[in-house]
Amino acid sequence: MISEILTFSGVAAGIIVMPGADLAVVLRNALASRRAGLATAIGIVCGLALHTALAAAGLAALLVTSDLLFTALKLVGAGYLLYLGGKALAACVRGPRPAPPSQEVREETSAPGAVGGGTATVVAEKTGLRPFLLQGFITNAANPKAPVLFLSLMPQFIPRGAPFVPMTLSLSAIVIVCGLLWFPLVAMAAASAGRFLASPRAGRLIEGVIGVVLMFLAVMLLMESAV
C-alpha cells in the first residue's frame, strides 16, 4: 500500500505542476499582487478538493456517461477562460487604470510584487480577496477533464482488497496537499519576480502574453472530448 501511495504522490505532483489555465491565472494575479495571487491559489485548491470529492463519491462518472453534461461544463470552462483572456488582453491594450484620487484606496504600485500599475492590488484593497478566490475556484472547477482524470486515475492505485472510501480519501488528500504546496509557491515566486517587472510596459506585455495563453487554452478545452 505504501508503494501505491508513493507512486500516486509522484503522479499527482506531475499533474498539479503541469502548465495550464490554473498556472496562468495564478501568475497573472500574483504578478500584480501577492495577496491576490495567494487567494487565487487557494481558490484553485478548493476546486481540486471539489474534483477529488466528486471522484471519491463516483459522481464524476456522470461526466463520462453524459455527453450533454460534459459539453455543458466544457462550454462554461472555455467561456470563462475566454473571459479572463479577454480581460488580460484589454489590460494590455489600454494599460493600467489608476485609482481615482477621491477614493480612499491604498494603491501599492511601488510595493514589491506590483506589476503594470498594481490594478489587481487596487481591486484587492477595494473589494477584498473574494473575487480572486472565486476566480481560481471557477477556473479549476469548470475544467471537465479534471474529475474524469481523477476518476480514472485513482482506482489504479487502490490495492485489491483495500477499503475503497478511506483509500480514495487518502489519495484525494495527497492531491490537495500537492496543490497547497505548488500554487502558493508559484504565487509567492511570481510576486517576488514582480519587483523586477514593475514598469507599465512590462506589465502590459505580461498581460498580453497571459491573455493569449488563456485564449489558446480555451480553444484547446473546446476541442476536448470526454473519452
Side-chain angles (χ1 to χ4, degrees):
M1 185 177 296
I2 299 298
S3 61
E4 285 85 356
I5 291 178
L6 292 177
T7 304
F8 179 81
S9 299
V11 173
I15 293 174
I16 293 297
V17 304
M18 188 179 301
D22 294 339
L23 185 64
V25 173
V26 170
L27 286 175
R28 177 176 185 260
N29 290 341
L31 283 170
S33 166
R34 178 180 284 107
R35 293 172 66 235
L38 288 174
T40 307
I42 296 302
I44 288 173
V45 173
C46 291
L48 286 172
L50 174 63
H51 287 312
T52 54
L54 290 176
L59 297 178
L62 293 175
L63 289 174
V64 179
T65 58
S66 174
D67 291 338
L68 179 61
L69 180 59
F70 183 88
T71 301
L73 188 56
K74 180 174 68 174
L75 291 175
V76 171
Y80 191 68
L81 291 181
L82 288 173
Y83 165 73
L84 294 179
K87 286 184 62 177
L89 291 178
C92 172
V93 171
R94 69 169 182 262
R97 288 184 177 179
S102 60
Q103 292 180 329
E104 296 180 358
V105 177
R106 184 169 61 88
E107 185 171 1
E108 299 178 359
T109 56
S110 60
V115 172
T119 304
T121 303
V122 175
V123 175
E125 293 290 339
K126 292 170 61 179
T127 64
L129 299 176
R130 182 179 298 178
F132 303 102
L133 184 68
L134 288 175
Q135 194 175 104
F137 176 77
I138 295 173
T139 300
N140 186 274
N143 180 3
K145 294 296 288 186
V148 176
L149 174 64
F150 289 123
L151 179 69
S152 61
L153 184 66
M154 286 182 177
Q156 302 179 36
F157 294 90
I158 299 178
R160 184 181 300 273
F164 180 80
V165 174
M167 191 66 183
T168 303
L169 291 177
S170 298
L171 297 180
S172 300
I174 291 174
V175 174
I176 295 171
V177 169
C178 290
L180 282 173
L181 292 175
W182 174 245
F183 290 110
L185 178 63
V186 170
M188 295 294 290
S192 298
R195 304 179 183 183
F196 308 102
L197 301 170
S199 69
R201 179 177 297 179
R204 294 177 70 174
L205 176 61
I206 292 169
E207 291 279 11
V209 171
I210 293 180
V212 171
V213 169
L214 289 172
M215 293 282 190
F216 174 77
L217 291 171
V219 173
M220 293 301 294
L221 180 58
L222 287 173
M223 296 173 62
E224 291 280 5
S225 60
V227 291

